[in-house]
């Protein structure tokens, strides 16, 4: 997956005056899912992303591939069932990236065991053949065995259930590689700047800017799909300045701690916080991630900031359940994501997480809402609509059993791997090539003693995964920034020199990259 080659393909298709079947605007889970689905059906597809793939919400989730126990409580059975099915398909198609995780709901009141026990049995039932394992009641001792960090005072027992976990940005990069493997042209750092309209007034292409070269690109297409998350309405208004608001935004934050705050391999699920939401504390890449919140936001941004009350809320709520309550100074990183919620009545936390497909009078096809977990189903629905709307060849969806790039049976790469190499498992089949690079002692060196990442991963990210900046490497190709903001900042210099050598950039570029990344990392710290 090389950026120059991708841009060249956009240029060549324009020169040949052949429209793409589908042009997608937005390189998050939704847009990349559409690109994969369309390419897998044999349609020609181009995708442009304003920043890096996954820069938006899709790298900032709670990292759960789940049906959503909370939606069950809200009575949204169809959403839960569809998400549980997608959870099963995703684990089957990307076993290198999705794995089962046990969750425990601790019980401190007598009614909680029967209440959550029955609710989670229903969750198992709805999963049907896509189930990850049966839930069951736990004694007090079993609960503490699974969650040794839990507050023991007043604890009566718990309920264990199973859901999925993943690395969101890594899955996104592998989806981009899947799309590329299937012939799609996907370009990062290439914002759509306008939508083209034909003589009939219908949208028939995208104007975009290659921000690396300043070149303006014209991408003619039979159908344009707007998959820009919280930026949905901005793109709709490129074609119709009067378009009414479709999406409102709410933000959710996560705090990341040292793993000692959550010993063991089980996640903690608090089913009802003081604001009526759920809170998770989950083990992730050797750390503990706690979240999330739901706070309405006025204007979308690519780098949303946490509010002080959100930080306090998570510290306090997690502190009520953990025997060693985390404090401010224990926070290694804070990250913030914005939910694109389809406008409706009521509080943002009660708005539906279903996806919506909307066709403007200009023929622009917008897809928004939904969840990471359901990206494949959303894409199938969207491409079905695109085929009808654009009179494209009617080809069947092929993604239900499509292996995601790097596909490797779970555990197939295990065996003699050292702990240090274990983190490479998320690359799936590509891990072998990274190990080969790491055979060179310079590239085999760790970038920071606190995190497992190797210099070889920087080189791989630049050569094969279209990483263009230090941030791309430290935020999304590896997850350093999301795990430990200070350690990530400390890695900026070596990463900048490795990248400069790979991308043919000079020292000045590398120094500017270090400066930009260090400033960004400050926002991921809690002071
Ligand atoms: C706090 C939080 C926790 C969550 N946790 C989970 C979870 O655990 N499990 C789950 O299943 N779901 C979860 N979700 C939901 C899930 O993350 C989102 O549904 C999903 O990531 C949305 O993806 P998207 O592609 O629609 O949006 P985004 O990822 O935001 O992608 C939109 C992209 O469009 C790009 N863009 C904008 N304007 C332009 C333009 N003019 N030209 C080109 N590109 C443009 C942006 O740069 C961005 O990359 C969570 C959401 C939040 C906020």
């Amino acid at each position: 997956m090389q950026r120059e080659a991708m841009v060249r393909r956009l240029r060549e298709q324009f020169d040949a005056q052949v429209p793409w079947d589908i042009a997608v605007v937005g390189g998050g889970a939704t847009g990349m899912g559409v690109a994969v689905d369309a390419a897998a059906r044999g349609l020609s597809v181009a995708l442009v992303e304003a920043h890096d793939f996954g820069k938006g919400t899709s790298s900032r989730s709670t990292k759960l591939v789940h049906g959503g126990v909370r939606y069950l409580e809200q009575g949204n059975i169809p959403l839960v069932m569809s998400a549980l099915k997608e959870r099963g398909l995703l684990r089957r198609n990307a076993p290198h990236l999705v794995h089962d995780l046990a969750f425990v709901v601790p019980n401190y009141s007598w009614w909680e065991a029967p209440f959550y026990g029955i609710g989670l049995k229903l969750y198992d039932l709805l999963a049907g053949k896509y189930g990850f394992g049966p839930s069951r009641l736990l004694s007090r001792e079993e609960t503490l065995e699974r969650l040794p960090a839990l507050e023991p005072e007043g604890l009566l027992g718990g309920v264990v259930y199973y859901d999925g976990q993943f690395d969101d940005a890594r899955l996104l990069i592998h989806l981009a590689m899947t799309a590329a493997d299937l012939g799609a042209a996907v370009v990062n750092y290439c914002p759509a700047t306008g939508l083209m309209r034909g003589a009939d007034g219908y949208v028939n292409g995208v104007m975009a800017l290659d921000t690396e070269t300043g070149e303006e690109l014209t991408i003619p297409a039979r159908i344009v799909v707007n998959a820009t998350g919280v930026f949905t309405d901005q793109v709709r208004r490129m074609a119709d300045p009067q378009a009414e608001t479709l999406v409102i935004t709410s933000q959710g934050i996560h705090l990341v701690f040292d793993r000692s705050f959550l010993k063991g391999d089980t996640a903690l699920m608090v089913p009802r916080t003081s604001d009526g939401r759920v809170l998770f504390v989950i083990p992730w890449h050797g750390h503990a991630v706690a979240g999330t919140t739901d706070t309405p936001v006025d204007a979308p941004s690519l780098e949303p900031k946490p509010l002080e009350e959100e930080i306090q809320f998570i510290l306090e709520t997690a502190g009520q359940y953990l025997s060693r309550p985390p404090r401010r100074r224990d926070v290694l990183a804070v990250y913030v994501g914005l939910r694109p919620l389809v406008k409706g009545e009521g509080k943002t936390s009660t708005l539906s997480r279903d996806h919506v497909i909307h066709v403007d009078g200009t023929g622009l096809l917008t897809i928004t809402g939904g969840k990471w977990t359901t990206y494949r189903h959303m894409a199938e629905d969207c491409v079905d609509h695109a085929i009808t709307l654009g009179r494209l060849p009617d080809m069947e969806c092929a993604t239900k059993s499509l292996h995601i790039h790097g596909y490797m049976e779970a555990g197939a790469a295990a065996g003699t791997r050292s702990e240090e190499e274990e983190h490479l498992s998320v690359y799936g089949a590509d891990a072998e090539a990274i190990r080969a690079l790491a055979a060179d002692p310079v590239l085999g060196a760790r970038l920071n003693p606190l995190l497992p990442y190797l210099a070889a991963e920087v080189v791989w990210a630049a050569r094969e995964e279209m990483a263009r900046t230090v941030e791309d490497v430290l935020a999304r190709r590896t997850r350093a920034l999301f795990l430990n903001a200070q350690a990530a900042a400390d890695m900026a210099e070596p990463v900048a020199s490795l990248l400069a050598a790979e991308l043919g950039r000079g020292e000045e570029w590398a120094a500017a990259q270090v400066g930009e990344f260090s400033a960004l990392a400050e926002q991921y710290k809690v002071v």
Side-chain angles (χ1 to χ4, degrees), residues 25-31 48-52 54-58 60-64 66 190-192 227-229 231 235 238 252 254 292 302 337-340 369-373:
V25 182
T30 307
V48 288
E49 161 55 47
H51 194 275
D52 183 30
K55 167 73 178 181
T57 308
S58 298
R60 300 155 185 271
S61 76
T62 310
K63 326 300 179 199
L64 301 180
H66 63 159
C190 195
T228 48
F231 301 96
V235 173
M238 288 178 181
H254 294 85
T292 182
L302 273 180
L338 297 181
R339 294 179 190 85
K371 287 146 59 86
W372 230 125
T373 306

Side-chain angles (χ1 to χ4, degrees), residues 179-206:
D181 294 343
L182 293 165
V186 295
V187 186
N188 52 1
Y189 294 100
C190 195
T193 50
L195 295 173
M196 294 150 58
R197 312 267 295 263
D200 54 6
Y202 285 114
V203 168
N204 65 358
V206 177

Side-chain angles (χ1 to χ4, degrees), residues 98-116:
V98 178
H99 63 91
D100 306 5
L101 186 63
F103 291 73
V104 165
V105 180
N107 302 154
Y108 290 92
S109 299
W110 67 267
W111 58 269
E112 287 176 313
F115 184 76
Y116 295 117

Side-chain angles (χ1 to χ4, degrees), residues 256-277:
V256 182
F257 304 100
D258 189 87
R259 185 61 177 274
S260 63
F261 285 93
L262 186 72
K263 301 175 193 122
D265 294 324
T266 301
L268 162 66
M269 198 270 213
V270 176
R272 188 162 283 273
T273 59
S274 59
D275 71 345
R277 291 181 39 79

